[in-house]
Amino acid sequence: SQTIHQWPATLVQPVGSPLSLECTVEGTSNPNLYWYRQAAGRGLQLLFYSVGIGQISSEVPQNLSASRPQDRQFILSSKKLLLSDSGFYLCACARTSGGHETQYFGPGTRLLVL
Amino acid sequence: QKEVEQNSGPLSVPEGAIASLNCTYSDRGSQSFFWYRQYSGKSPELIMSIYSNGDKEDGRFTAQLNKASQYVSLLIRDSQPSDSATYLCAVNRYTGFQKLVFGTGTRLLVSP
């Protein structure tokens, strides 16, 4: 079965600083990977998804970017953080069975921008 | 109209009772439906998936799907205090890839 790792678990960053969050997956190959953000009291917002190395699609225009340098590595970055970037960042990995895709979440990174 | 709507709650039930969580969706083309449980401060955990009209049972959990009425529900039998969490309904939408659209969740409180 697949395992999703995310780090760091928590992060406090000043406004204007850069960001790099990492997600790695074990136990599967060539998975579809997703980045979500969950702001306080709000639903899950899809930020990026990737179907393979170097293939990134953005769902919401913002000051964040994503990269997939390796098959099982997905990175979320920012050059300059905004206060509104605070939230719970979740990486998800998809598994397909019987023609249906199911997404499983990693433990998440909680980001506070001050 | 939101794509996926859930009552935010909290839904309070006594221990041992049946908890009923409901979700409606707007995209008639949706084919896959999911319930995730999220404890405070933790990431969502998949509880149930359902793809066909009718009921699907797994232990104390039963998912119900009615595509004609565009609603999906989750029943939790013999509710336990450990079931207290926020339950997220998610519906797929194919836009070149399988996108999941989430509701904002229903908070369930099970009192001992």
Side-chain angles (χ1 to χ4, degrees):
Chain A
S1 63
Q2 62 192 21
T3 304
I4 305 170
H5 301 281
Q6 287 188 248
W7 61 88
T10 59
L11 193 58
V12 180
Q13 292 285 93
V15 170
S17 64
L19 174 73
S20 181
L21 302 181
E22 188 165 344
C23 169
T24 58
V25 182
E26 294 178 358
T28 185
S29 59
N30 196 31
N32 290 346
L33 297 175
Y34 303 81
W35 277 113
Y36 290 87
R37 176 171 61 201
Q38 189 175 38
R42 302 182 69 178
L44 281 156
Q45 179 187 33
L46 178 63
L47 302 175
F48 300 95
Y49 72 93
S50 171
V51 298
I53 295 173
Q55 300 179 67
I56 309 294
S57 294
S58 173
E59 276 291 290
V60 182
Q62 55 214 325
N63 70 320
L64 299 172
S65 62
S67 63
R68 187 164 174 180
Q70 299 180 45
D71 181 43
R72 287 171 284 180
Q73 184 184 32
F74 202 19
I75 297 172
L76 183 69
S77 304
S78 174
K79 292 182 179 178
K80 287 186 178 181
L81 284 168
L82 306 173
L83 285 173
S84 58
D85 290 325
S86 294
F88 193 31
Y89 286 82
L90 293 155
C91 177
C93 178
R95 187 165 72 198
T96 300
S97 175
H100 295 283
E101 181 182 282
T102 303
Q103 292 185 25
Y104 297 87
F105 289 90
T109 294
R110 195 162 299 279
L111 171 66
L112 178 60
V113 182
L114 300 175
Chain B
Q1 181 188 8
K2 291 182 180 178
E3 287 194 66
V4 179
E5 295 207 54
Q6 296 181 254
N7 189 317
S8 61
L11 172 66
S12 296
V13 299
E15 183 175 357
I18 295 175
S20 177
L21 306 164
N22 300 312
C23 171
T24 58
Y25 61 95
S26 61
D27 184 1
R28 286 192 172 274
S30 296
Q31 297 294 321
S32 303
F33 307 85
F34 306 89
W35 284 99
Y36 289 84
R37 177 176 64 198
Q38 186 174 25
Y39 291 113
S40 179
K42 301 296 185 181
S43 64
E45 170 192 13
L46 181 69
I47 296 297
M48 293 282 289
S49 59
I50 187 166
Y51 310 113
S52 305
N53 279 327
D55 295 359
K56 179 182 177 182
E57 187 175 319
D58 184 1
R60 296 187 295 112
F61 298 96
T62 298
Q64 299 175 319
L65 175 62
N66 184 322
K67 290 184 179 180
S69 300
Q70 294 175 253
Y71 85 79
V72 56
S73 62
L74 179 70
L75 301 179
I76 306 175
R77 290 182 299 281
D78 188 24
S79 295
Q80 300 297 309
S82 58
D83 294 325
S84 297
T86 297
Y87 289 79
L88 304 174
C89 172
V91 176
N92 87 310
R93 182 157 64 89
Y94 188 76
T95 58
F97 73 103
Q98 293 285 2
K99 175 178 179 177
L100 275 189
V101 181
F102 285 82
T104 52
T106 297
R107 187 174 167 213
L108 173 67
L109 297 175
V110 181
S111 54

